[in-house]
Amino acid sequence: MAVNRNYHDQINIDNAVKLRELLNKLPKFCSEFFRGIEPTTSSRTRIAYAYDLSIFFKYLKEYNPEYKDVNIRDIAIDVLDKITVSDIEEYLEYLKYYISDDGKEYTNNERGIMRKLASLRSFYNYFYRKEAIKNNPASIVQMPKLHEKEIVRLDVDEVSNLLDEVESGDKLSKSQQKYHDKTKVRDVAIITLLLGTGIRVSECVGINIDDIDFKNSGIKIRRKGGYETVVYFGDEVDEALKAYLEERKKMIPVAGNEDAMFLSMQKKRIGVRAVENLVKKYSKLVTNLKKITPHKLRSTYGTSLYRETGDIYLVADVLGHKDVNTTKKHYAAIEDERRRRARNAVKLREDK
């Protein structure tokens, strides 16, 4: 019998199962770390930590002769006191290019390396605070220097063109056009919603029909940190959602998916990857130079809202940023542009 769980609760359950699988491939003492950080981290974060630590211990087994013949599960916690700053620096160098056990090649840029070092630091800090180890070399290793990436967003005309392409489907390939008539109204609703509210893709796919309040033009969503909030939408989003709901009434969802707002072709709740693919498919018709993802649509909304209001705190609140400095970092270029425009706003003396 299918259980009709909340999308986010189901994701947490799936991640808990996945974490158990990953822990079975890590040293036994690692379980204490994951129990310790559970109250302060999301299930997704813990999965990321587990992946990163699995790479670290595989590296240790492969390149440290002392552990060559030791099963990773049997590595004891005292290994952390034996590792030096140089060992960790060599590990970071290894991360730039390595081959996994199944023969796949992997590379990490500076951001990937920084994330894996951050995971290792959290790991070391936990056991160091617990006084289970005497040394904390991970805290001494310098973080890689990050080069600021340009914020990619759609221009006003590109937004209009994107929505036009989703509606018409004229530039799609023949194979894509076969499905376009079946998904057009849904795709318009999803992309209009992302562009018109700035919500995250995970928040979008988690929406249930009952979460939408058309009377007050609001949608209840669950944010990244697990808390619920209401985001408000305008007339264009209202129109697109209502059009899709008319089609949605004719669909018979797979058991357990009755509450889901957006359905896949298989009549199940649409997934994050599917939304990423449809954004990629349509955005390619509008621009080849920009790699557009759902997150870039979020940036596009944030940019538009900031240009219209000039209120960075409002933008931070609407986007669900816990720290306004995160928002400022993303929209610093626009802020600088506004400051430049304001340089002659105050007159010291009247023009003669």
Side-chain angles (χ1 to χ4, degrees), residues 25-70:
K25 299 175 184 177
L26 287 172
K28 294 168 188 171
F29 70 88
C30 292
S31 295
E32 182 186 343
F33 166 68
F34 286 96
R35 283 195 300 271
I37 66 171
E38 184 171 359
T40 57
T41 57
S42 68
S43 61
R44 185 179 175 184
T45 296
R46 294 191 292 277
I47 290 286
Y49 280 173
Y51 273 121
D52 292 345
L53 290 173
S54 67
I55 296 169
F56 174 70
F57 283 107
K58 283 178 183 176
Y59 165 80
L60 193 68
K61 178 175 170 60
E62 186 176 346
Y63 287 90
N64 190 316
E66 186 177 344
Y67 299 99
K68 188 176 182 181
D69 298 321
V70 178

Side-chain angles (χ1 to χ4, degrees), residues 83-116:
I83 291 170
T84 65
V85 170
S86 295
D87 292 331
I88 295 176
E89 288 174 341
E90 287 173 5
Y91 165 63
L92 299 183
E93 185 65 29
Y94 160 84
L95 288 173
K96 292 179 180 178
Y97 173 80
Y98 64 94
I99 300 174
S100 64
D101 294 339
D102 57 5
K104 290 184 180 178
E105 295 181 329
Y106 290 91
T107 60
N108 281 278
N109 58 20
E110 55 199 15
R111 290 181 185 276
I113 292 171
M114 186 178 79
R115 194 198 82 174
K116 288 175 175 59

Side-chain angles (χ1 to χ4, degrees), residues 133-169:
I133 55 175
K134 297 176 182 178
N135 303 313
N136 191 356
S139 65
I140 304 171
V141 178
Q142 288 189 330
M143 282 284 189
K145 184 178 178 181
L146 284 181
H147 296 86
E148 287 298 321
K149 293 198 300 185
E150 182 185 359
I151 303 298
V152 177
R153 52 179 77 86
L154 291 172
D155 299 330
V156 175
D157 61 328
E158 289 173 332
V159 169
S160 179
N161 290 340
L162 174 61
L163 292 171
D164 288 344
E165 292 299 339
V166 181
E167 286 183 339
S168 71

